[in-house]
Amino acid sequence: MSEETAERPIIVFDSGIGGLTVLREARVLMPDRRFVYIADDAGFPYGEWEEGALCSRIVDMFAGLIAEHDPEIAVIACNTASTLVLDDLRKAYPAVPFVGTVPAIKPAAERTSSGFVSVLATPGTVKRAYTRDLIQSFATKCHVRLVGSQNLAAMAEAHIRGDHIDDEAIRAEIAPCFYENGGDRTDIVVLACTHYPFLANVFRRLAPWPVDWLDPAEAIARRALSLLKPNGTGAEPEHGDDIAIFTSGNPDFATRRLMQGFGLATA
């Protein structure tokens, strides 16, 4: 393993702290790599942005991130960003491999027994043509219900920081995911926002019946691993700390404490 390879980090990018669900899985598979976590909290939530403006923001932001960190690979751990800007990032920065996060509609269609699948996402991901193309390509034999939540990402951020969240408010957000017809009912809910797995145990407790809550984080990490060059024996290299960077430059105390819990030094 060369010193250069060991020192080139993997960037994990999200609008907030939801991408930590992907980082957690990536570290399990790649303990020998260094990570730089980027939280665009100054732009959070992405669902409220006009598409052109958000695309320009992210592409422009990566010019500086690539110049500063020289990443070996970049993981866009955000469904809203991935379904909008992944192609533009690859065109703008062809030397950097980009791994996106898109709704896990194909595996959901392969696993469902009832044929009723719901996709729980942000409004931006729900309205994206990319999402509907996935359904057309992989789930034409299923009844796929797209559920856009305006509030769950912020609720997940509050929950992981230790703030109180109201059960009834969450129940109202997930209720449209549950559909019954002719004795069959929804058996899989795709978590199409990386923030949502932080609430998975809450979802399970509040759901009207048991379903498979499909979290794509491990699959994203495996895809990233498949694109990396071999890194020697896999032993822990000597490199700098994994760091978290917030675009606001001013994360609050609860967020800094959360980053510390994930083993990230806040830059």
Side-chain angles (χ1 to χ4, degrees):
M1 177 180 61
S2 71
E3 181 178 348
E4 178 183 2
T5 301
E7 282 301 319
R8 293 183 68 198
I10 297 170
I11 282 180
V12 178
F13 176 90
D14 184 39
S15 60
I17 60 178
L20 293 172
T21 59
V22 176
L23 175 68
R24 181 170 53 195
E25 296 296 333
R27 277 173 155 170
V28 171
L29 293 178
M30 296 170 274
D32 54 334
R33 303 289 174 151
R34 185 167 67 91
F35 292 87
V36 175
Y37 186 83
I38 309 294
D40 185 19
D41 59 329
F44 180 84
Y46 278 175
E48 297 179 359
W49 281 74
E50 186 273 326
E51 289 188 5
L54 180 58
C55 186
S56 296
R57 175 184 179 83
I58 296 172
V59 172
D60 291 347
M61 191 182 306
F62 262 89
L65 294 175
I66 291 169
E68 181 176 355
H69 300 288
D70 186 27
E72 188 174 1
I73 195 168
V75 178
I76 309 302
C78 173
N79 286 266
T80 300
S82 293
T83 55
L84 174 65
V85 77
L86 202 56
D87 286 344
D88 291 305
L89 285 170
R90 287 170 174 158
K91 290 175 184 176
Y93 311 108
V96 178
F98 284 90
V99 175
T101 304
V102 298
I105 290 168
K106 181 180 179 181
E110 292 170 346
R111 295 184 194 182
T112 181
S113 298
S114 68
F116 292 155
V117 172
S118 291
V119 179
L120 183 60
T122 64
T125 298
V126 161
K127 70 181 181 182
R128 206 81 72 220
Y130 193 112
T131 303
R132 298 179 188 278
D133 288 345
L134 288 173
I135 295 171
Q136 190 62 36
S137 297
F138 302 113
T140 54
K141 295 182 180 180
C142 299
H143 174 90
V144 180
R145 173 167 288 203
L146 295 173
V147 179
S149 171
Q150 191 72 46
N151 303 310
L152 272 179
M155 290 178 176
E157 294 232 345
H159 176 67
I160 195 62
R161 290 189 183 103
D163 297 340
H164 172 74
I165 49 173
D166 182 67
D167 278 358
E168 290 309 310
I170 293 180
R171 199 192 307 271
E173 297 291 332
I174 67 172
C177 294
F178 293 85
Y179 175 76
E180 293 184 271
N181 186 36
D184 290 319
R185 57 190 187 181
T186 304
D187 63 352
I188 294 182
V189 178
V190 175
L191 298 178
C193 172
T194 53
H195 283 74
Y196 296 170
F198 283 129
L199 289 169
N201 287 335
V202 180
F203 294 160
R204 292 185 185 97
R205 177 168 57 81
L206 298 177
W209 60 77
V211 297
D212 181 8
W213 300 91
L214 196 55
D215 175 6
E218 183 180 353
I220 298 162
R222 289 192 180 281
R223 176 58 179 162
L225 175 62
S226 74
L227 296 177
L228 292 174
K229 296 176 182 178
N231 205 10
T233 63
E236 185 71 23
E238 294 183 6
H239 58 55
D241 291 337
D242 292 348
I243 62 172
I245 297 171
F246 289 79
T247 58
S248 69
N250 188 33
D252 61 23
F253 173 77
T255 301
R256 293 196 303 272
R257 185 175 59 185
L258 175 65
M259 295 299 109
Q260 186 176 24
F262 271 82
L264 295 166
T266 305

PDB file of all heavy atoms in Angstrom, residues 7 33 52 79 94-95 97-98 106 123 125 128 164 189 191 232-233 241-242 244-245 267:
ATOM      1  N   GLU A   7      -3.233   8.070   2.023  1.00  0.00           N
ATOM      2  CA  GLU A   7      -3.563   9.418   2.438  1.00  0.00           C
ATOM      3  C   GLU A   7      -4.710  10.039   1.643  1.00  0.00           C
ATOM      4  O   GLU A   7      -5.300  11.017   2.067  1.00  0.00           O
ATOM      5  CB  GLU A   7      -2.322  10.314   2.333  1.00  0.00           C
ATOM      6  CG  GLU A   7      -1.335  10.124   3.474  1.00  0.00           C
ATOM      7  CD  GLU A   7      -1.976  10.405   4.830  1.00  0.00           C
ATOM      8  OE1 GLU A   7      -2.747  11.380   4.948  1.00  0.00           O
ATOM      9  OE2 GLU A   7      -1.717   9.648   5.767  1.00  0.00           O
ATOM     10  N   ARG A  33      -9.215   2.892   5.288  1.00  0.00           N
ATOM     11  CA  ARG A  33      -9.306   4.138   4.514  1.00  0.00           C
ATOM     12  C   ARG A  33      -9.601   5.335   5.422  1.00  0.00           C
ATOM     13  O   ARG A  33     -10.175   5.199   6.499  1.00  0.00           O
ATOM     14  CB  ARG A  33     -10.408   4.025   3.462  1.00  0.00           C
ATOM     15  CG  ARG A  33     -10.224   2.855   2.507  1.00  0.00           C
ATOM     16  CD  ARG A  33      -9.081   3.087   1.549  1.00  0.00           C
ATOM     17  NE  ARG A  33      -8.833   1.907   0.737  1.00  0.00           N
ATOM     18  CZ  ARG A  33      -8.333   1.928  -0.486  1.00  0.00           C
ATOM     19  NH1 ARG A  33      -8.000   3.078  -1.043  1.00  0.00           N
ATOM     20  NH2 ARG A  33      -8.129   0.815  -1.148  1.00  0.00           N
ATOM     21  N   GLY A  52     -32.106  23.753 -10.745  1.00  0.00           N
ATOM     22  CA  GLY A  52     -30.936  24.330 -11.397  1.00  0.00           C
ATOM     23  C   GLY A  52     -29.976  24.957 -10.406  1.00  0.00           C
ATOM     24  O   GLY A  52     -28.753  24.794 -10.523  1.00  0.00           O
ATOM     25  N   ASN A  79     -29.997  10.935  -1.650  1.00  0.00           N
ATOM     26  CA  ASN A  79     -30.828  10.590  -2.796  1.00  0.00           C
ATOM     27  C   ASN A  79     -31.209  11.814  -3.616  1.00  0.00           C
ATOM     28  O   ASN A  79     -31.153  11.795  -4.843  1.00  0.00           O
ATOM     29  CB  ASN A  79     -32.107   9.894  -2.318  1.00  0.00           C
ATOM     30  CG  ASN A  79     -31.887   8.474  -1.866  1.00  0.00           C
ATOM     31  OD1 ASN A  79     -32.040   7.524  -2.628  1.00  0.00           O
ATOM     32  ND2 ASN A  79     -31.528   8.315  -0.598  1.00  0.00           N
ATOM     33  N   PRO A  94     -14.139  14.172 -14.326  1.00  0.00           N
ATOM     34  CA  PRO A  94     -14.036  12.790 -14.813  1.00  0.00           C
ATOM     35  C   PRO A  94     -12.941  11.978 -14.141  1.00  0.00           C
ATOM     36  O   PRO A  94     -12.972  10.741 -14.208  1.00  0.00           O
ATOM     37  CB  PRO A  94     -13.762  12.966 -16.308  1.00  0.00           C
ATOM     38  CG  PRO A  94     -13.173  14.344 -16.436  1.00  0.00           C
ATOM     39  CD  PRO A  94     -13.845  15.166 -15.379  1.00  0.00           C
ATOM     40  N   ALA A  95     -11.987  12.615 -13.484  1.00  0.00           N
ATOM     41  CA  ALA A  95     -10.902  11.880 -12.840  1.00  0.00           C
ATOM     42  C   ALA A  95     -11.320  11.286 -11.496  1.00  0.00           C
ATOM     43  O   ALA A  95     -10.590  10.460 -10.935  1.00  0.00           O
ATOM     44  CB  ALA A  95      -9.690  12.788 -12.644  1.00  0.00           C
ATOM     45  N   PRO A  97     -13.983   9.058  -9.349  1.00  0.00           N
ATOM     46  CA  PRO A  97     -15.146   8.156  -9.368  1.00  0.00           C
ATOM     47  C   PRO A  97     -16.207   8.649  -8.375  1.00  0.00           C
ATOM     48  O   PRO A  97     -15.887   8.947  -7.223  1.00  0.00           O
ATOM     49  CB  PRO A  97     -14.579   6.802  -8.934  1.00  0.00           C
ATOM     50  CG  PRO A  97     -13.088   6.929  -9.060  1.00  0.00           C
ATOM     51  CD  PRO A  97     -12.780   8.368  -8.828  1.00  0.00           C
ATOM     52  N   PHE A  98     -17.442   8.750  -8.839  1.00  0.00           N
ATOM     53  CA  PHE A  98     -18.553   9.151  -7.975  1.00  0.00           C
ATOM     54  C   PHE A  98     -19.504   7.970  -7.792  1.00  0.00           C
ATOM     55  O   PHE A  98     -19.883   7.311  -8.757  1.00  0.00           O
ATOM     56  CB  PHE A  98     -19.330  10.321  -8.578  1.00  0.00           C
ATOM     57  CG  PHE A  98     -18.643  11.644  -8.440  1.00  0.00           C
ATOM     58  CD1 PHE A  98     -17.779  12.089  -9.429  1.00  0.00           C
ATOM     59  CD2 PHE A  98     -18.859  12.449  -7.331  1.00  0.00           C
ATOM     60  CE1 PHE A  98     -17.132  13.320  -9.310  1.00  0.00           C
ATOM     61  CE2 PHE A  98     -18.223  13.673  -7.198  1.00  0.00           C
ATOM     62  CZ  PHE A  98     -17.360  14.109  -8.192  1.00  0.00           C
ATOM     63  N   LYS A 106     -35.123  -1.452  -7.402  1.00  0.00           N
ATOM     64  CA  LYS A 106     -34.869  -2.763  -8.002  1.00  0.00           C
ATOM     65  C   LYS A 106     -34.844  -3.873  -6.960  1.00  0.00           C
ATOM     66  O   LYS A 106     -35.565  -4.882  -7.110  1.00  0.00           O
ATOM     67  CB  LYS A 106     -33.558  -2.735  -8.794  1.00  0.00           C
ATOM     68  CG  LYS A 106     -33.240  -4.059  -9.466  1.00  0.00           C
ATOM     69  CD  LYS A 106     -31.933  -4.004 -10.236  1.00  0.00           C
ATOM     70  CE  LYS A 106     -31.622  -5.347 -10.891  1.00  0.00           C
ATOM     71  NZ  LYS A 106     -30.334  -5.325 -11.634  1.00  0.00           N
ATOM     72  N   PRO A 123     -39.632  15.179  -1.086  1.00  0.00           N
ATOM     73  CA  PRO A 123     -40.416  15.580  -2.264  1.00  0.00           C
ATOM     74  C   PRO A 123     -39.557  15.709  -3.518  1.00  0.00           C
ATOM     75  O   PRO A 123     -40.010  15.392  -4.621  1.00  0.00           O
ATOM     76  CB  PRO A 123     -41.006  16.927  -1.842  1.00  0.00           C
ATOM     77  CG  PRO A 123     -41.098  16.846  -0.350  1.00  0.00           C
ATOM     78  CD  PRO A 123     -39.882  16.077   0.066  1.00  0.00           C
ATOM     79  N   THR A 125     -36.877  13.932  -4.389  1.00  0.00           N
ATOM     80  CA  THR A 125     -36.602  12.607  -4.948  1.00  0.00           C
ATOM     81  C   THR A 125     -37.852  12.014  -5.590  1.00  0.00           C
ATOM     82  O   THR A 125     -37.798  11.392  -6.649  1.00  0.00           O
ATOM     83  CB  THR A 125     -36.070  11.664  -3.858  1.00  0.00           C
ATOM     84  OG1 THR A 125     -34.841  12.187  -3.352  1.00  0.00           O
ATOM     85  CG2 THR A 125     -35.832  10.265  -4.389  1.00  0.00           C
ATOM     86  N   ARG A 128     -38.531  13.483  -9.100  1.00  0.00           N
ATOM     87  CA  ARG A 128     -37.468  13.378 -10.084  1.00  0.00           C
ATOM     88  C   ARG A 128     -37.780  12.313 -11.132  1.00  0.00           C
ATOM     89  O   ARG A 128     -38.226  11.209 -10.798  1.00  0.00           O
ATOM     90  CB  ARG A 128     -36.149  13.046  -9.371  1.00  0.00           C
ATOM     91  CG  ARG A 128     -34.923  13.500 -10.125  1.00  0.00           C
ATOM     92  CD  ARG A 128     -34.645  14.978  -9.914  1.00  0.00           C
ATOM     93  NE  ARG A 128     -34.155  15.224  -8.559  1.00  0.00           N
ATOM     94  CZ  ARG A 128     -34.517  16.266  -7.831  1.00  0.00           C
ATOM     95  NH1 ARG A 128     -35.358  17.139  -8.306  1.00  0.00           N
ATOM     96  NH2 ARG A 128     -34.022  16.455  -6.626  1.00  0.00           N
ATOM     97  N   HIS A 164     -36.324  15.624  21.373  1.00  0.00           N
ATOM     98  CA  HIS A 164     -37.614  14.917  21.399  1.00  0.00           C
ATOM     99  C   HIS A 164     -38.315  15.068  20.058  1.00  0.00           C
ATOM    100  O   HIS A 164     -38.340  16.149  19.472  1.00  0.00           O
ATOM    101  CB  HIS A 164     -38.516  15.485  22.502  1.00  0.00           C
ATOM    102  CG  HIS A 164     -39.913  14.940  22.459  1.00  0.00           C
ATOM    103  ND1 HIS A 164     -40.209  13.660  22.864  1.00  0.00           N
ATOM    104  CD2 HIS A 164     -41.089  15.499  22.021  1.00  0.00           C
ATOM    105  CE1 HIS A 164     -41.507  13.450  22.705  1.00  0.00           C
ATOM    106  NE2 HIS A 164     -42.060  14.544  22.196  1.00  0.00           N
ATOM    107  N   VAL A 189     -40.948  -1.049   2.462  1.00  0.00           N
ATOM    108  CA  VAL A 189     -40.842   0.412   2.340  1.00  0.00           C
ATOM    109  C   VAL A 189     -39.373   0.743   2.103  1.00  0.00           C
ATOM    110  O   VAL A 189     -38.508   0.424   2.917  1.00  0.00           O
ATOM    111  CB  VAL A 189     -41.348   1.138   3.600  1.00  0.00           C
ATOM    112  CG1 VAL A 189     -41.171   2.653   3.438  1.00  0.00           C
ATOM    113  CG2 VAL A 189     -42.816   0.802   3.868  1.00  0.00           C
ATOM    114  N   LEU A 191     -36.365   3.102   2.080  1.00  0.00           N
ATOM    115  CA  LEU A 191     -35.928   4.330   2.746  1.00  0.00           C
ATOM    116  C   LEU A 191     -35.055   5.101   1.763  1.00  0.00           C
ATOM    117  O   LEU A 191     -33.852   4.881   1.664  1.00  0.00           O
ATOM    118  CB  LEU A 191     -35.170   3.998   4.028  1.00  0.00           C
ATOM    119  CG  LEU A 191     -35.992   3.261   5.096  1.00  0.00           C
ATOM    120  CD1 LEU A 191     -35.118   2.931   6.306  1.00  0.00           C
ATOM    121  CD2 LEU A 191     -37.202   4.085   5.518  1.00  0.00           C
ATOM    122  N   GLY A 232      -3.397  -2.951  -0.209  1.00  0.00           N
ATOM    123  CA  GLY A 232      -2.480  -3.757   0.608  1.00  0.00           C
ATOM    124  C   GLY A 232      -3.198  -4.824   1.394  1.00  0.00           C
ATOM    125  O   GLY A 232      -4.114  -5.472   0.915  1.00  0.00           O
ATOM    126  N   THR A 233      -2.814  -5.005   2.631  1.00  0.00           N
ATOM    127  CA  THR A 233      -3.331  -6.093   3.456  1.00  0.00           C
ATOM    128  C   THR A 233      -4.647  -5.748   4.124  1.00  0.00           C
ATOM    129  O   THR A 233      -5.286  -6.609   4.718  1.00  0.00           O
ATOM    130  CB  THR A 233      -2.321  -6.433   4.563  1.00  0.00           C
ATOM    131  OG1 THR A 233      -2.170  -5.284   5.409  1.00  0.00           O
ATOM    132  CG2 THR A 233      -0.980  -6.807   3.973  1.00  0.00           C
ATOM    133  N   ASP A 241      -6.750  11.955  11.128  1.00  0.00           N
ATOM    134  CA  ASP A 241      -8.089  11.631  11.607  1.00  0.00           C
ATOM    135  C   ASP A 241      -9.116  11.765  10.494  1.00  0.00           C
ATOM    136  O   ASP A 241      -8.974  12.563   9.569  1.00  0.00           O
ATOM    137  CB  ASP A 241      -8.482  12.590  12.734  1.00  0.00           C
ATOM    138  CG  ASP A 241      -7.671  12.374  14.002  1.00  0.00           C
ATOM    139  OD1 ASP A 241      -7.141  11.259  14.178  1.00  0.00           O
ATOM    140  OD2 ASP A 241      -7.586  13.321  14.802  1.00  0.00           O
ATOM    141  N   ASP A 242     -10.175  10.967  10.608  1.00  0.00           N
ATOM    142  CA  ASP A 242     -11.354  11.226   9.801  1.00  0.00           C
ATOM    143  C   ASP A 242     -11.967  12.536  10.285  1.00  0.00           C
ATOM    144  O   ASP A 242     -12.031  12.794  11.501  1.00  0.00           O
ATOM    145  CB  ASP A 242     -12.374  10.098   9.970  1.00  0.00           C
ATOM    146  CG  ASP A 242     -11.904   8.786   9.364  1.00  0.00           C
ATOM    147  OD1 ASP A 242     -10.905   8.793   8.612  1.00  0.00           O
ATOM    148  OD2 ASP A 242     -12.537   7.752   9.642  1.00  0.00           O
ATOM    149  N   ALA A 244     -15.011  15.833   9.789  1.00  0.00           N
ATOM    150  CA  ALA A 244     -16.306  16.300   9.314  1.00  0.00           C
ATOM    151  C   ALA A 244     -16.216  17.791   9.050  1.00  0.00           C
ATOM    152  O   ALA A 244     -15.685  18.547   9.876  1.00  0.00           O
ATOM    153  CB  ALA A 244     -17.393  16.005  10.340  1.00  0.00           C
ATOM    154  N   ILE A 245     -16.721  18.202   7.903  1.00  0.00           N
ATOM    155  CA  ILE A 245     -16.716  19.608   7.516  1.00  0.00           C
ATOM    156  C   ILE A 245     -18.157  20.047   7.282  1.00  0.00           C
ATOM    157  O   ILE A 245     -18.898  19.399   6.536  1.00  0.00           O
ATOM    158  CB  ILE A 245     -15.881  19.830   6.240  1.00  0.00           C
ATOM    159  CG1 ILE A 245     -14.418  19.465   6.502  1.00  0.00           C
ATOM    160  CG2 ILE A 245     -16.001  21.270   5.749  1.00  0.00           C
ATOM    161  CD1 ILE A 245     -13.565  19.445   5.250  1.00  0.00           C
ATOM    162  N   ALA A 267     -13.885  19.880  11.600  1.00  0.00           N
ATOM    163  CA  ALA A 267     -12.908  20.852  11.088  1.00  0.00           C
ATOM    164  C   ALA A 267     -13.471  22.247  11.265  1.00  0.00           C
ATOM    165  O   ALA A 267     -14.685  22.464  11.225  1.00  0.00           O
ATOM    166  CB  ALA A 267     -12.610  20.573   9.627  1.00  0.00           C
TER     167      ALA A 267
END
